[in-house]
C-alpha cells in the first residue's frame, strides 16, 4: 500500500517518535531524512499528507514548499509543518507557500494527532 | 540555582529571600511584572516564581511576554504564586504559558518541592506522556528510542565540545540544534534552554558566552543521561 503519510524530518529521535504515533493511529508512514529527499519522495510516492520540519540542513522546509509548488505536477498533499518553539515560523507565510497547518515543537501528542486527523479528513474528501 | 522572583509585596519579598537563602539559591527580585520581563530578558534563570497580582503589569501578562519574546527564558518553568485556588485561574495561568501553580500562603516545603520538580533535568510530566505514547517505559519501542537518544546525545555533546575547541562555530550551532530538538521530546528543558543559547551565540559568532554555556551543557547533559539511563533495560543498547 502506498504510504498515506510522508514524514520529512532530519532528527532521528523526532522521526522515531512521530512515526510510532502515526502508525499507532493506523497510518502508513514513509520517512524522508532531509528536504531534498522530501521533495523527490513527495513527487514519487504522492502521499495524502506531508509532515514537514521547517528547520533542516541541506534543504529547509520553506524551500521544500517552494519546490513542491514549482514542480508539484498536479499532486498536492495536505501539508503540516513543524516549527521550533524558539523560532516559530510566520504561520501566514508558510500557509501562503502551500502548507495547511502548523504545530510548534515540542507539542502535546494529542494536539498533533488531532491536527493529523483533520488534515487526513480534508485530504480524503 | 538561579531564581527570578516577581513579587510586589515587601513582606513576601523578605520571606522569599529567607527561604531561598536557606536553600542556597541565587535570587533576583523584580517588584512588578514589567521589571520581571526586563530581568528575564537579560539572564537565564532555572525557575521563575511569578506573583499573580502586581502593579504595572500582572503576572499573566509578564508570563505571556516572557514566552513570546525571543529571550533566554522562553522555556524556563514559570510557577504562579496566587491567592486564588479556582480552576479558572489555574487555566488562565496555563494559557499564559505558566507551568505550575502554588496558592498563598506559600509553605517552604511546598515551594522547595515545586522548585525541585521544575528545575530537575527532566520535566516528569512530559517524559511520562512520551513513555505512555511509546507503549510504556519498558516497551521495545521506548527502549529503542531511548537507546538511540542516549547514543546520539553523547555523540552530539562530544562533537560540540570538539568543534568549539577548534573554533568551528557553524558545527557548534548544528550540534546544539540537534541536541535541542531531540531533548525537547524527553522534557529536558534545561538542556533545551542551554542549547538554544549556544546555537544562537554560535550562529552569531559571539564567542564570549560559549565557554560558560559549554560547561553548563556538559553538566546538564550528564545529569540528563543519568536520569534517563536508569530506565534503560539491561538488554537495551548500551553506549
Amino acid at each position: 500500500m502506498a504510504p498515506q503519510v510522508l514524514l520529512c524530518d532530519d532528527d532521528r529521535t523526532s522521526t522515531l517518535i512521530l512515526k510510532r504515533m502515526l502508525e499507532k493511529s493506523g497510518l502508513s508512514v514513509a520517512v524522508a531524512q532531509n528536504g531534498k529527499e522530501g521533495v523527490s519522495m513527495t513527487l514519487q510516492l504522492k502521499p495524502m499528507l506531508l509532515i514537514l520540519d521547517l528547520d533542516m540542513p541541506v534543504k529547509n522546509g520553506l524551500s521544500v514548499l517552494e519546490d513542491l509548488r514549482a514542480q508539484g505536477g498536479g499532486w498536492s498533499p495536505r501539508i503540516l509543518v513543524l516549527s521550533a518553539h524558539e523560532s516559530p515560523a510566520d504561520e501566514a507565510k508558510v500557509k501562503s507557500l502551500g502548507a495547511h497547518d502548523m504545530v510548534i515543537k515540542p507539542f502535546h501528542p494529542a494536539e498533533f494527532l488531532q491536527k493529523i486527523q483533520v488534515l487526513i479528513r480534508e485530504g480524503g474528501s | 540555582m538561579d531564581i527570578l522572583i516577581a513579587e510586589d509585596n515587601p513582606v513576601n519579598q523578605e520571606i522569599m529571600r529567607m527561604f531561598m537563602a536557606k536553600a542556597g539559591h541565587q535570587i533576583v527580585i523584580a517588584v512588578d511584572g514589567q521589571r520581571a520581563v526586563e530581568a528575564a530578558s537579560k539572564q537565564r534563570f532555572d525557575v521563575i516564581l511569578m506573583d499573580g497580582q502586581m502593579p504595572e503589569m500582572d503576572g499573566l501578562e509578564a508570563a505571556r511576554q516572557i514566552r513570546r519574546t525571543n529571550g533566554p527564558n522562553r522555556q524556563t518553568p514559570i510557577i504562579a504564586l496566587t491567592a486564588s485556588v479556582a480552576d479558572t485561574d489555574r487555566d488562565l495561568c496555563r494559557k499564559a504559558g505558566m507551568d505550575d501553580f502554588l496558592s498563598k500562603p506559600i509553605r517552604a516545603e511546598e515551594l522547595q518541592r515545586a522548585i525541585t520538580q521544575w528545575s530537575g533535568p527532566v520535566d516528569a510530566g512530559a517524559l511520562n506522556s512520551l513513555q505512555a505514547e511509546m507503549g510504556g517505559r519498558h516497551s521495545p519501542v521506548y527502549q529503542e528510542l531511548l537507546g538511540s537518544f542516549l547514543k546520539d546525545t553523547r555523540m552530539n555533546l562530544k562533537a560540540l565540545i570538539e568543534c568549539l575547541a577548534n573554533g568551528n562555530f557553524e558545527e557548534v550551532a548544528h550540534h546544539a540544534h540537534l541536541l535541542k530538538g531531540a531533548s525537547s521530546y524527553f522534557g529536558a528543558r534545561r538542556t533545551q534552554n542551554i542549547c538554544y543559547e549556544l546555537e544562537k551565540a554560535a550562529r552569531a559568532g559571539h564567542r564570549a558566552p560559549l565557554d560558560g554555556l559549554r560547561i553548563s551543557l556538559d553538566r546538564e547533559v550528564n545529569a540528563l543521561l543519568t536520569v534517563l539511563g536508569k530506565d534503560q533495560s539491561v538488554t537495551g543498547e548500551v553506549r
Side-chain angles (χ1 to χ4, degrees):
Chain A
M1 191 172 67
Q4 294 161 292
V5 181
L6 177 64
L7 175 58
C8 182
D9 193 337
D10 63 313
D11 179 60
R12 197 148 72 113
T13 302
S14 175
T15 310
L16 268 167
I17 294 171
L18 299 184
K19 187 164 186 280
R20 160 77 182 177
M21 279 166 42
L22 293 164
E23 285 174 349
K24 236 174 78 178
S25 358
L27 297 162
S28 60
V29 183
V31 176
Q33 287 171 339
N34 58 51
K36 233 173 122 183
E37 265 185 39
V39 174
S40 64
M41 288 175 74
T42 302
L43 298 178
Q44 194 194 335
L45 302 172
K46 302 194 185 332
M48 179 190 277
L49 174 67
L50 170 64
I51 299 172
L52 177 65
D53 185 24
L54 288 181
D55 204 349
M56 291 182 293
V58 186
K59 186 172 190 59
N60 72 31
L62 290 180
S63 147
V64 170
L65 289 175
E66 282 163 359
D67 275 23
L68 286 177
R69 239 169 45 146
Q71 47 176 300
W75 181 256
S76 47
R78 307 300 289 176
I79 302 176
L80 174 68
V81 296
L82 312 177
S83 177
H85 189 189
E86 309 78 17
S87 52
D90 178 347
E91 192 164 352
K93 187 180 174 197
V94 297
K95 285 189 172 167
S96 77
L97 285 170
H100 300 90
D101 205 351
M102 175 167 108
V103 277
I104 309 276
K105 293 204 274 188
F107 40 77
H108 196 275
E111 181 201 355
F112 173 72
L113 290 171
Q114 198 212 342
K115 283 182 187 280
I116 298 289
Q117 296 304 340
V118 170
L119 289 168
I120 292 275
R121 234 187 352 256
E122 290 170 356
S125 61
Chain B
M1 239 174 285
D2 292 313
I3 299 177
L4 172 63
I5 301 170
E7 168 67 70
D8 64 316
N9 179 317
V11 176
N12 289 342
Q13 283 172 8
E14 216 29 63
I15 294 172
M16 286 293 195
R17 214 187 284 279
M18 272 163 33
F19 278 178
M20 297 300 169
K22 226 172 163 181
H25 300 308
Q26 307 288 321
I27 63 167
V28 171
I29 290 185
V31 297
D32 60 45
Q34 185 62 49
R35 289 190 171 84
V37 172
E38 278 164 28
S41 71
K42 290 185 189 128
Q43 173 193 346
R44 190 171 58 80
F45 292 97
D46 296 303
V47 174
I48 297 173
L49 301 174
M50 184 76 79
D51 184 25
Q53 272 130 22
M54 289 181 291
E56 302 303 324
M57 184 194 292
D58 71 9
L60 291 173
E61 182 54 26
R64 268 183 224 118
Q65 295 207 7
I66 291 170
R67 291 290 182 244
R68 203 185 300 139
T69 51
N70 201 17
N73 292 289
R74 283 191 69 110
Q75 319 250 15
T76 301
I78 303 179
I79 303 172
L81 310 175
T82 165
S84 159
V85 288
D87 279 352
T88 49
D89 292 322
R90 203 175 274 259
D91 200 43
L92 280 174
C93 288
R94 292 228 190 277
K95 284 193 177 135
M98 297 204 242
D99 300 281
D100 204 355
F101 185 97
L102 292 178
S103 46
K104 289 179 172 181
I106 310 286
R107 289 180 307 139
E109 59 268 37
E110 221 179 340
L111 185 61
Q112 189 49 47
R113 182 198 51 72
I115 291 172
T116 309
Q117 182 196 332
W118 285 104
S119 60
V122 175
D123 162 5
L127 180 61
N128 286 339
S129 76
L130 172 69
Q131 289 173 338
E133 202 55 45
M134 298 294 111
R137 76 167 80 172
H138 300 297
S139 74
V141 178
Y142 181 70
Q143 287 297 321
E144 183 198 345
L145 173 70
L146 179 62
S148 98
F149 174 75
L150 294 176
K151 197 170 129 205
D152 288 358
T153 300
R154 283 188 198 100
M155 196 188 73
N156 277 317
L157 178 64
K158 187 163 168 264
L160 186 149
I161 292 171
E162 281 168 15
C163 294
L164 188 57
N166 298 331
N168 186 345
F169 290 176
E170 201 176 312
E171 280 299 301
V172 169
H174 174 63
H175 289 291
H177 178 77
L178 289 175
L179 278 169
K180 173 167 66 84
S183 57
S184 70
Y185 284 97
F186 288 83
R189 290 168 171 256
R190 279 214 305 241
T191 297
Q192 228 180 309
N193 252 334
I194 299 167
C195 287
Y196 169 67
E197 289 290 301
L198 254 168
E199 187 183 353
K200 199 168 70 170
R203 285 215 197 284
H206 192 200
R207 185 182 290 267
L210 289 176
D211 266 326
L213 286 168
R214 192 255 305 152
I215 292 165
S216 308
L217 182 69
D218 197 17
R219 192 174 46 215
E220 192 57 33
V221 167
N222 281 305
L224 175 67
L225 293 174
T226 305
V227 169
L228 292 178
K230 285 183 188 148
D231 284 339
Q232 205 174 23
S233 303
V234 197
T235 50
E237 189 182 353
V238 183
R239 277 175 203 270

